[in-house]
Structures are given as C-alpha cells and as structure tokens.
Amino acid sequence: MKSKILITGGAGFIGGFLADAFQRRGDSVRIVDSLARGRRDPFLEALLAHPEVEFSKRDLLRDDALSDVGEGYTHIFH
C-alpha cells in the first residue's frame, strides 16, 4: 500500500535519506525544510526530480508553517 509521508527537516542528511528511501519504495513524500543551510544541494535536487516528491520551504517556528501542506499523511517524521 502506498503511504503519504511528511518529513520535516527533509533537506538535511537524515531527512534526505529518509525521503529517498520512501520515494524509492513508491510512496508519496512531502519535504518541509527552512533551508537554514542556505542552499538546495544536488541530492535534494535529484529527489525533487521524482514526481512523487514535493518540497515546501517553511520555518517551523511559525505557527502557520504547516497550514498548507495538506492532510492525510500516514507517517510524519520530525
């Protein structure tokens, strides 16, 4: 069964590898990250080339940071 995954901090090392593993499994993945490191690296760009991977730049310190990322996630990794 296809899962719908939300990963906060998904542009980082651990989050990126989690996102990669889930998209390879065929799941739908939403990555949320503030890009505090200042850039979208080649690994993240390669992930975003997959149609089942979406990216939202958000600062999770804001109350409304996740207000528009949708719902119905089967798994959330923070």
Side-chain angles (χ1 to χ4, degrees):
M1 180 177 164
K2 184 176 180 173
S3 297
K4 185 175 178 184
I5 311 294
L6 174 67
I7 302 174
T8 62
F13 181 80
I14 294 171
F17 278 93
L18 267 175
D20 185 53
F22 283 115
Q23 73 80 23
R24 286 178 187 270
R25 199 174 85 161
D27 296 321
S28 174
V29 179
R30 167 70 68 115
I31 296 170
V32 176
D33 199 286
S34 68
L35 296 178
R37 296 185 314 153
R39 63 187 170 94
R40 288 169 54 153
D41 62 21
F43 185 79
L44 178 60
E45 291 297 336
L47 271 174
L48 298 178
H50 298 280
E52 291 295 323
V53 179
E54 296 180 72
F55 176 79
S56 297
K57 183 178 177 184
R58 301 284 189 277
D59 180 354
L60 293 180
L61 297 177
R62 293 181 48 114
D63 290 340
D64 64 346
L66 300 176
S67 64
D68 66 344
V69 296
E71 53 188 46
Y73 293 97
T74 57
H75 300 81
I76 298 174
F77 294 90
H78 177 67

Coordinates of all heavy atoms in Angstrom, one line a residue:
M1 N 0.8 -1.2 0.0 CA 0.0 0.0 0.0 C 0.9 1.3 0.0 O 1.8 1.3 0.7 CB -0.9 0.0 1.2 CG -1.8 1.2 1.3 SD -2.9 1.0 2.8 CE -3.4 2.6 2.9
K2 N 0.5 2.2 -0.8 CA 1.3 3.4 -0.9 C 1.0 4.3 0.3 O -0.1 4.5 0.6 CB 0.9 4.1 -2.2 CG 1.7 5.4 -2.5 CD 1.2 5.9 -3.9 CE 2.0 7.2 -4.2 NZ 1.7 7.7 -5.5
S3 N 2.1 4.8 0.9 CA 2.0 5.7 2.0 C 2.2 7.2 1.6 O 2.8 7.5 0.6 CB 3.0 5.4 3.1 OG 2.8 4.1 3.6
K4 N 1.6 8.1 2.4 CA 1.8 9.5 2.2 C 2.7 10.0 3.4 O 2.2 10.0 4.5 CB 0.5 10.2 2.2 CG 0.5 11.7 1.8 CD -0.8 12.3 1.7 CE -0.8 13.8 1.4 NZ -2.1 14.4 1.4
I5 N 3.9 10.4 3.1 CA 4.9 10.7 4.1 C 5.2 12.2 4.2 O 5.3 12.9 3.1 CB 6.2 10.0 3.8 CG1 6.0 8.5 3.4 CG2 7.2 10.2 4.9 CD1 5.6 7.7 4.5
L6 N 5.2 12.8 5.4 CA 5.7 14.2 5.6 C 7.0 14.1 6.4 O 7.0 13.4 7.5 CB 4.6 14.9 6.4 CG 5.0 16.4 6.8 CD1 5.2 17.3 5.6 CD2 4.0 16.9 7.8
I7 N 8.0 14.8 5.9 CA 9.3 14.8 6.6 C 9.7 16.2 6.8 O 10.0 17.0 5.9 CB 10.4 14.1 5.8 CG1 10.0 12.6 5.5 CG2 11.7 14.1 6.5 CD1 10.9 11.9 4.6
T8 N 9.8 16.7 8.1 CA 10.3 18.0 8.4 C 11.8 17.9 8.5 O 12.3 16.9 9.0 CB 9.6 18.6 9.7 OG1 10.0 17.7 10.8 CG2 8.1 18.7 9.6
G9 N 12.5 18.9 8.1 CA 13.9 18.8 8.0 C 14.4 17.9 7.0 O 15.5 17.3 7.0
G10 N 13.6 17.7 5.9 CA 13.9 16.7 4.9 C 15.0 17.1 4.0 O 15.4 16.2 3.2
A11 N 15.5 18.3 4.0 CA 16.7 18.7 3.2 C 18.0 18.4 3.9 O 19.0 18.6 3.3 CB 16.6 20.1 2.8
G12 N 17.9 17.9 5.1 CA 19.2 17.6 5.8 C 19.6 16.2 5.5 O 19.0 15.5 4.7
F13 N 20.7 15.8 6.1 CA 21.3 14.5 5.9 C 20.3 13.3 6.2 O 20.0 12.5 5.3 CB 22.6 14.3 6.7 CG 23.3 13.0 6.5 CD1 24.1 12.8 5.3 CD2 23.1 12.0 7.4 CE1 24.7 11.6 5.1 CE2 23.8 10.8 7.2 CZ 24.6 10.6 6.0
I14 N 19.8 13.2 7.4 CA 18.9 12.1 7.8 C 17.6 12.2 7.0 O 17.1 11.2 6.5 CB 18.8 12.1 9.3 CG1 20.1 11.7 10.0 CG2 17.7 11.1 9.7 CD1 20.1 11.9 11.5
G15 N 17.0 13.4 7.1 CA 15.7 13.6 6.4 C 15.8 13.3 4.9 O 14.9 12.7 4.3
G16 N 16.9 13.7 4.3 CA 17.0 13.5 2.8 C 17.1 12.0 2.5 O 16.5 11.5 1.6
F17 N 17.8 11.2 3.3 CA 17.9 9.8 3.1 C 16.6 9.1 3.4 O 16.3 8.1 2.7 CB 19.1 9.2 3.8 CG 20.4 9.4 3.1 CD1 21.2 10.5 3.4 CD2 20.8 8.5 2.1 CE1 22.4 10.7 2.7 CE2 22.0 8.7 1.4 CZ 22.8 9.8 1.7
L18 N 15.9 9.6 4.4 CA 14.6 9.0 4.6 C 13.6 9.3 3.4 O 13.0 8.4 3.0 CB 13.9 9.7 5.9 CG 14.1 9.1 7.2 CD1 13.5 10.0 8.3 CD2 13.4 7.7 7.3
A19 N 13.7 10.5 2.9 CA 12.8 10.8 1.8 C 13.2 10.0 0.6 O 12.3 9.5 -0.1 CB 13.0 12.3 1.4
D20 N 14.5 9.8 0.4 CA 14.9 9.0 -0.7 C 14.5 7.5 -0.6 O 14.0 6.9 -1.6 CB 16.5 9.0 -0.8 CG 17.0 8.3 -2.0 OD1 16.5 8.6 -3.2 OD2 17.9 7.4 -1.9
A21 N 14.6 7.0 0.6 CA 14.1 5.6 0.8 C 12.6 5.4 0.6 O 12.2 4.5 -0.1 CB 14.5 5.1 2.2
F22 N 11.8 6.4 1.0 CA 10.4 6.3 0.8 C 10.0 6.4 -0.6 O 9.1 5.7 -1.1 CB 9.6 7.2 1.7 CG 9.6 6.8 3.2 CD1 10.2 7.5 4.2 CD2 8.9 5.6 3.5 CE1 10.1 7.1 5.5 CE2 8.8 5.2 4.8 CZ 9.4 5.9 5.8
Q23 N 10.6 7.4 -1.3 CA 10.3 7.6 -2.7 C 10.7 6.4 -3.5 O 10.0 6.0 -4.5 CB 10.8 8.9 -3.3 CG 12.3 9.0 -3.6 CD 12.7 8.3 -4.9 OE1 11.9 8.1 -5.8 NE2 13.9 8.0 -5.0
R24 N 11.8 5.7 -3.2 CA 12.2 4.5 -3.9 C 11.2 3.4 -3.7 O 11.1 2.5 -4.5 CB 13.6 4.1 -3.5 CG 14.7 4.9 -4.0 CD 16.1 4.5 -3.5 NE 17.1 5.4 -3.8 CZ 17.8 5.3 -4.9 NH1 17.6 4.3 -5.8 NH2 18.8 6.2 -5.2
R25 N 10.6 3.4 -2.5 CA 9.6 2.4 -2.2 C 8.3 2.6 -2.9 O 7.4 1.8 -2.9 CB 9.4 2.4 -0.7 CG 8.7 1.2 -0.1 CD 8.7 1.3 1.4 NE 7.6 2.0 1.8 CZ 7.1 2.0 3.0 NH1 7.7 1.3 4.0 NH2 6.0 2.7 3.4
G26 N 8.1 3.8 -3.5 CA 6.9 4.2 -4.2 C 6.0 5.0 -3.5 O 4.8 5.2 -3.9
D27 N 6.4 5.5 -2.3 CA 5.5 6.4 -1.5 C 5.5 7.8 -2.0 O 6.4 8.3 -2.7 CB 5.9 6.3 -0.1 CG 5.8 5.0 0.5 OD1 4.8 4.3 0.2 OD2 6.7 4.6 1.3
S28 N 4.5 8.6 -1.6 CA 4.4 10.0 -1.9 C 5.1 10.7 -0.7 O 4.7 10.4 0.5 CB 2.9 10.4 -2.0 OG 2.8 11.8 -2.1
V29 N 6.0 11.6 -1.0 CA 6.8 12.3 0.0 C 6.7 13.8 -0.1 O 6.8 14.4 -1.1 CB 8.3 11.9 -0.1 CG1 9.1 12.6 1.0 CG2 8.4 10.4 0.0
R30 N 6.4 14.4 1.1 CA 6.4 15.9 1.2 C 7.6 16.3 2.1 O 7.6 15.8 3.2 CB 5.1 16.4 1.7 CG 5.1 17.9 2.1 CD 5.2 18.9 1.0 NE 4.0 18.9 0.1 CZ 3.2 19.9 0.0 NH1 3.4 21.1 0.6 NH2 2.2 19.8 -0.8
I31 N 8.5 17.0 1.6 CA 9.7 17.5 2.4 C 9.4 18.9 2.8 O 9.0 19.8 2.0 CB 11.0 17.5 1.6 CG1 11.3 16.0 1.2 CG2 12.1 18.1 2.3 CD1 12.4 15.9 0.2
V32 N 9.5 19.2 4.1 CA 9.4 20.6 4.6 C 10.7 20.9 5.3 O 11.2 20.2 6.1 CB 8.3 20.7 5.6 CG1 8.2 22.1 6.2 CG2 6.9 20.3 5.0
D33 N 11.3 22.1 4.9 CA 12.6 22.5 5.4 C 12.7 24.0 5.3 O 12.2 24.6 4.3 CB 13.7 21.8 4.7 CG 15.0 21.7 5.4 OD1 15.7 22.8 5.5 OD2 15.4 20.7 6.0
S34 N 13.5 24.6 6.2 CA 13.7 26.0 6.1 C 14.9 26.4 5.3 O 15.1 27.6 5.0 CB 13.9 26.6 7.5 OG 15.2 26.1 8.1
L35 N 15.7 25.4 4.9 CA 16.9 25.6 4.1 C 17.8 26.5 4.9 O 18.5 27.4 4.3 CB 16.7 26.1 2.7 CG 15.9 25.2 1.8 CD1 15.7 25.8 0.4 CD2 16.6 23.9 1.6
A36 N 17.9 26.3 6.2 CA 18.8 27.1 7.1 C 20.2 27.0 6.6 O 21.0 27.9 6.9 CB 18.6 26.7 8.5
R37 N 20.6 25.9 6.0 CA 22.0 25.7 5.5 C 22.2 26.7 4.3 O 23.3 26.8 3.9 CB 22.2 24.3 5.0 CG 22.1 23.3 6.1 CD 22.5 21.9 5.7 NE 21.8 21.5 4.5 CZ 22.3 20.6 3.7 NH1 23.4 20.0 3.9 NH2 21.7 20.3 2.6
G38 N 21.1 27.2 3.7 CA 21.3 28.2 2.7 C 21.2 27.8 1.3 O 21.4 28.6 0.4
R39 N 21.0 26.5 1.0 CA 21.0 26.1 -0.3 C 20.3 24.7 -0.5 O 20.1 24.0 0.4 CB 22.4 25.9 -0.9 CG 23.2 24.8 -0.1 CD 24.7 24.8 -0.6 NE 25.4 23.9 0.3 CZ 25.7 22.7 0.1 NH1 25.2 22.1 -1.0 NH2 26.4 21.9 0.9
R40 N 19.9 24.5 -1.8 CA 19.3 23.3 -2.2 C 20.4 22.5 -2.9 O 20.9 22.9 -4.0 CB 18.1 23.5 -3.2 CG 16.9 24.0 -2.5 CD 15.8 24.5 -3.4 NE 15.4 23.5 -4.4 CZ 14.2 23.5 -4.9 NH1 13.3 24.4 -4.6 NH2 13.9 22.6 -5.8
D41 N 20.9 21.5 -2.2 CA 22.1 20.8 -2.8 C 21.7 19.8 -3.9 O 20.5 19.6 -4.1 CB 22.9 20.1 -1.6 CG 22.1 19.0 -0.9 OD1 21.1 18.5 -1.5 OD2 22.4 18.7 0.2
P42 N 22.7 19.2 -4.6 CA 22.4 18.3 -5.7 C 21.6 17.1 -5.2 O 20.7 16.6 -6.0 CB 23.8 17.9 -6.2 CG 24.6 19.0 -5.8 CD 24.1 19.5 -4.5
F43 N 21.8 16.6 -4.0 CA 21.0 15.4 -3.5 C 19.5 15.8 -3.5 O 18.7 15.0 -3.9 CB 21.5 15.0 -2.2 CG 20.9 13.7 -1.7 CD1 21.2 12.5 -2.1 CD2 19.9 13.8 -0.7 CE1 20.6 11.3 -1.7 CE2 19.3 12.7 -0.2 CZ 19.6 11.4 -0.7
L44 N 19.2 17.0 -2.9 CA 17.8 17.4 -2.8 C 17.2 17.6 -4.2 O 16.1 17.2 -4.5 CB 17.7 18.7 -2.0 CG 16.3 19.3 -1.8 CD1 15.3 18.3 -1.2 CD2 16.4 20.6 -1.0
E45 N 18.0 18.3 -5.1 CA 17.5 18.5 -6.4 C 17.2 17.2 -7.1 O 16.2 17.1 -7.8 CB 18.5 19.3 -7.2 CG 18.7 20.7 -6.8 CD 17.5 21.6 -6.9 OE1 16.6 21.3 -7.8 OE2 17.3 22.6 -6.2
A46 N 18.0 16.2 -6.9 CA 17.7 14.8 -7.5 C 16.4 14.2 -7.0 O 15.6 13.6 -7.7 CB 18.9 13.9 -7.3
L47 N 16.2 14.4 -5.7 CA 15.0 13.9 -5.0 C 13.8 14.6 -5.6 O 12.7 14.0 -5.9 CB 15.0 14.2 -3.5 CG 15.6 13.2 -2.6 CD1 15.6 13.7 -1.2 CD2 14.8 11.9 -2.7
L48 N 13.9 15.9 -5.8 CA 12.7 16.7 -6.3 C 12.4 16.4 -7.8 O 11.4 16.8 -8.3 CB 13.0 18.2 -6.1 CG 13.1 18.6 -4.6 CD1 13.4 20.1 -4.5 CD2 11.9 18.2 -3.8
A49 N 13.3 15.7 -8.5 CA 13.1 15.4 -9.9 C 12.0 14.2 -10.0 O 11.5 14.0 -11.0 CB 14.4 14.9 -10.5
H50 N 11.8 13.6 -8.9 CA 10.8 12.5 -8.8 C 9.4 13.1 -8.7 O 9.2 13.9 -7.8 CB 11.1 11.5 -7.7 CG 12.4 10.8 -7.8 ND1 12.6 9.8 -8.7 CD2 13.6 11.1 -7.3 CE1 13.8 9.4 -8.6 NE2 14.5 10.2 -7.8
P51 N 8.4 12.6 -9.5 CA 7.1 13.2 -9.4 C 6.4 13.0 -8.1 O 5.4 13.7 -7.8 CB 6.3 12.5 -10.6 CG 7.1 11.3 -10.9 CD 8.5 11.6 -10.5
E52 N 6.8 12.0 -7.3 CA 6.1 11.8 -6.0 C 6.7 12.5 -4.8 O 6.4 12.3 -3.7 CB 6.1 10.2 -5.7 CG 5.2 9.5 -6.7 CD 3.7 9.8 -6.5 OE1 3.3 10.0 -5.4 OE2 3.0 9.8 -7.5
V53 N 7.7 13.4 -5.1 CA 8.3 14.2 -4.1 C 8.0 15.6 -4.2 O 8.2 16.2 -5.3 CB 9.9 13.9 -4.1 CG1 10.6 14.7 -3.0 CG2 10.2 12.4 -3.9
E54 N 7.5 16.3 -3.2 CA 7.3 17.7 -3.2 C 8.1 18.4 -2.1 O 8.5 17.7 -1.1 CB 5.8 17.9 -2.9 CG 4.8 17.4 -3.9 CD 3.4 17.7 -3.5 OE1 3.0 18.9 -3.6 OE2 2.7 16.7 -3.1
F55 N 8.3 19.7 -2.3 CA 9.1 20.4 -1.3 C 8.4 21.7 -0.9 O 7.9 22.4 -1.8 CB 10.5 20.8 -1.9 CG 11.3 21.6 -1.0 CD1 12.0 21.1 0.0 CD2 11.4 23.0 -1.2 CE1 12.8 21.9 0.9 CE2 12.2 23.8 -0.4 CZ 12.9 23.2 0.6
S56 N 8.4 22.0 0.3 CA 7.9 23.3 0.8 C 9.0 23.9 1.7 O 9.4 23.3 2.7 CB 6.6 23.1 1.6 OG 5.6 22.5 0.9
K57 N 9.3 25.2 1.4 CA 10.3 25.9 2.3 C 9.5 26.6 3.3 O 8.6 27.4 3.1 CB 11.0 26.9 1.4 CG 12.1 27.7 2.3 CD 12.9 28.7 1.5 CE 13.8 29.4 2.4 NZ 14.6 30.4 1.7
R58 N 9.7 26.2 4.6 CA 8.9 26.7 5.7 C 9.8 26.8 6.9 O 10.7 26.0 7.1 CB 7.8 25.7 6.1 CG 6.8 25.5 5.0 CD 5.9 26.7 4.9 NE 4.8 26.4 4.0 CZ 4.8 26.4 2.7 NH1 5.9 26.7 2.0 NH2 3.7 26.1 1.9
D59 N 9.5 27.8 7.8 CA 10.2 28.0 9.0 C 9.2 27.4 10.1 O 8.2 27.9 10.3 CB 10.4 29.4 9.3 CG 11.1 29.7 10.6 OD1 11.3 28.7 11.4 OD2 11.5 30.9 10.9
L60 N 9.6 26.3 10.7 CA 8.7 25.6 11.6 C 8.5 26.4 12.9 O 7.7 25.9 13.7 CB 9.2 24.2 11.9 CG 9.1 23.2 10.7 CD1 9.6 21.9 11.1 CD2 7.7 23.1 10.2
L61 N 9.2 27.4 13.1 CA 9.0 28.3 14.3 C 7.7 29.1 14.1 O 7.2 29.7 15.1 CB 10.2 29.2 14.5 CG 11.5 28.4 14.9 CD1 12.6 29.4 15.1 CD2 11.3 27.6 16.2
R62 N 7.2 29.2 12.9 CA 6.0 30.0 12.7 C 4.8 29.1 12.9 O 4.8 27.9 12.6 CB 5.9 30.5 11.2 CG 7.0 31.5 10.9 CD 6.9 31.9 9.5 NE 5.5 32.3 9.2 CZ 5.0 33.5 8.8 NH1 5.9 34.5 8.8 NH2 3.8 33.7 8.6
D63 N 3.8 29.6 13.6 CA 2.6 28.9 13.9 C 1.9 28.3 12.7 O 1.3 27.2 12.7 CB 1.6 29.8 14.7 CG 2.0 30.1 16.1 OD1 2.9 29.4 16.6 OD2 1.5 31.1 16.6
D64 N 1.9 29.0 11.6 CA 1.2 28.6 10.4 C 2.1 27.8 9.4 O 1.7 27.6 8.2 CB 0.6 29.8 9.7 CG 1.6 30.8 9.2 OD1 2.8 30.7 9.6 OD2 1.3 31.6 8.4
A65 N 3.2 27.4 9.8 CA 4.2 26.7 8.9 C 3.7 25.5 8.1 O 4.0 25.3 7.0 CB 5.5 26.3 9.7
L66 N 2.8 24.8 8.7 CA 2.3 23.6 8.1 C 0.8 23.7 7.6 O 0.2 22.7 7.3 CB 2.5 22.4 9.0 CG 3.9 22.1 9.4 CD1 4.0 20.9 10.4 CD2 4.8 21.8 8.2
S67 N 0.3 24.9 7.6 CA -1.1 25.1 7.4 C -1.5 24.7 6.0 O -2.7 24.4 5.7 CB -1.5 26.5 7.7 OG -0.8 27.4 6.8
D68 N -0.6 24.7 5.0 CA -1.0 24.4 3.6 C -0.3 23.2 3.0 O -0.2 23.1 1.8 CB -0.8 25.7 2.8 CG 0.7 26.0 2.6 OD1 1.5 25.5 3.4 OD2 1.1 26.8 1.7
V69 N 0.2 22.3 3.9 CA 0.9 21.2 3.3 C 0.0 20.0 3.1 O 0.4 18.9 2.7 CB 2.1 20.7 4.2 CG1 3.2 21.8 4.2 CG2 1.7 20.3 5.6
G70 N -1.3 20.2 3.4 CA -2.2 19.1 3.1 C -2.4 18.2 4.4 O -1.9 18.5 5.4
E71 N -3.2 17.2 4.2 CA -3.5 16.3 5.3 C -3.6 14.9 4.8 O -3.3 14.6 3.6 CB -4.8 16.7 5.9 CG -6.0 16.8 5.0 CD -7.2 17.4 5.6 OE1 -7.1 18.4 6.3 OE2 -8.3 16.8 5.4
G72 N -3.9 14.0 5.6 CA -4.0 12.6 5.3 C -2.7 11.8 5.2 O -2.6 10.8 4.6
Y73 N -1.7 12.4 5.9 CA -0.4 11.7 6.0 C -0.5 10.4 6.8 O -1.1 10.4 7.9 CB 0.7 12.6 6.5 CG 1.0 13.8 5.6 CD1 0.4 15.0 5.8 CD2 1.8 13.6 4.5 CE1 0.7 16.1 5.0 CE2 2.1 14.6 3.7 CZ 1.5 15.9 3.9 OH 1.7 16.9 3.0
T74 N 0.1 9.4 6.3 CA 0.2 8.1 7.0 C 1.3 8.1 8.0 O 1.3 7.3 9.0 CB 0.2 6.9 6.1 OG1 1.4 7.1 5.2 CG2 -1.0 6.8 5.2
H75 N 2.4 8.8 7.7 CA 3.6 8.9 8.6 C 4.1 10.3 8.6 O 4.2 10.9 7.5 CB 4.7 7.9 8.1 CG 4.3 6.5 8.0 ND1 3.5 6.0 6.9 CD2 4.5 5.5 8.8 CE1 3.3 4.7 7.1 NE2 3.9 4.4 8.3
I76 N 4.6 10.7 9.7 CA 5.2 12.1 9.9 C 6.5 11.9 10.6 O 6.5 11.3 11.7 CB 4.3 13.1 10.6 CG1 3.0 13.3 9.9 CG2 5.0 14.4 10.8 CD1 2.0 14.1 10.6
F77 N 7.6 12.3 10.0 CA 8.9 12.3 10.6 C 9.4 13.7 10.9 O 9.4 14.5 10.0 CB 9.9 11.6 9.7 CG 9.6 10.1 9.5 CD1 8.7 9.8 8.4 CD2 10.0 9.1 10.3 CE1 8.4 8.5 8.2 CE2 9.7 7.8 10.1 CZ 8.9 7.5 9.0
H78 N 9.8 13.9 12.2 CA 10.2 15.3 12.6 C 11.5 15.2 13.3 O 11.7 14.4 14.1 CB 9.1 15.9 13.5 CG 9.5 17.2 14.1 ND1 9.6 18.3 13.2 CD2 9.8 17.6 15.3 CE1 10.0 19.3 14.0 NE2 10.1 18.9 15.2

